[in-house]
Amino acid sequence: MKHLGTIRLETSRLILRRFEEADTEVAFHVWTSDPKVTKYLRREPHRSISQMQSLGQSWLMKYNDPQWYHWVIVPKEVGFPIGTISAANVDNETDTVEVGFCLGSAYWGLGYITEAFAAVIEFFFEEVHADRIEAKYAPENKASGRVMEKCGLTFEETQRSSDLIHSEAVEVCVCSLLAKDYF
């Protein structure tokens, strides 16, 4: 793959850009402290802004790595970040990028994640030259499964005890899209 790092992407309604320190407070209030958002994530909801500050600092430091991809999702009509989409894992041997996302619950059902995911898929296939895009979701999280389906991913399998949610091993559904099918 030809790694480019987190570069700005734009769609008709969205700007996908790097997290900035100034985004810390809105990230805390819009998604990282929301138990509905973190229900299917590895980490618990943030209880204080200092937790988000620490997480934000770690994100900022990782932007020096051209293999680290992490965008905040900014709807143009909103003007501030409402969630994130990122490469949860990059496998250079198989040219696979696993994508994960989260969005503030006040913005669910508006098509923002589907639009952001479609832009990221295009970027990874056309610019980075990935061969496979993969995404996972908890079987109970039907909305994430629908996003993956809308973006052209195919359900592959359910893996037992293969991921963590709040430090507990859980089963996940794995979906993928191959470059040959995308093009």
Side-chain angles (χ1 to χ4, degrees), residues 11-142:
T11 70
S12 61
R13 298 188 305 157
L14 303 175
I15 295 169
L16 306 180
R17 63 162 172 81
R18 291 178 175 203
F19 173 83
E20 299 168 357
E21 195 169 346
D23 299 326
T24 302
E25 192 168 325
V26 74
F28 175 74
H29 291 293
V30 174
W31 74 90
T32 68
S33 66
D34 185 342
K36 289 184 277 187
V37 174
T38 61
K39 181 176 182 178
Y40 299 111
L41 299 181
R42 290 182 175 172
R43 61 169 181 74
E44 298 282 341
H46 287 162
R47 297 176 197 261
S48 70
I49 193 109
S50 64
Q51 289 177 288
M52 183 56 230
Q53 287 169 325
S54 295
L55 181 60
Q57 287 302 314
S58 73
W59 290 345
L60 290 169
M61 289 173 43
K62 292 177 185 175
Y63 283 125
N64 293 324
D65 181 354
Q67 294 188 57
W68 197 70
Y69 300 94
H70 182 81
W71 295 269
V72 291
I73 301 165
V74 182
K76 293 174 183 176
E77 72 268 14
V78 174
F80 56 81
I82 60 167
T84 61
I85 188 162
S86 59
N89 188 35
V90 174
D91 185 333
N92 289 301
E93 288 186 30
T94 62
D95 294 337
T96 298
V97 177
E98 179 188 341
V99 176
F101 47 80
C102 68
L103 189 71
S105 61
Y107 301 94
W108 290 355
L110 301 173
Y112 290 135
I113 283 293
T114 303
E115 189 172 330
F117 196 13
V120 166
I121 288 169
E122 178 182 338
F123 170 74
F124 282 128
F125 282 142
E126 297 187 12
E127 304 296 326
V128 178
H129 306 293
D131 191 50
R132 174 185 164 94
I133 303 292
E134 182 175 284
K136 300 175 182 176
Y137 67 96
E140 308 82 40
N141 189 356
K142 305 275 188 232

Side-chain angles (χ1 to χ4, degrees), residues 155-170:
F155 173 80
E156 288 185 349
E157 66 181 342
T158 300
Q159 297 176 340
R160 298 181 304 153
S161 294
S162 68
D163 212 336
L164 295 174
I165 293 179
H166 300 199
S167 303
E168 180 182 335
V170 296

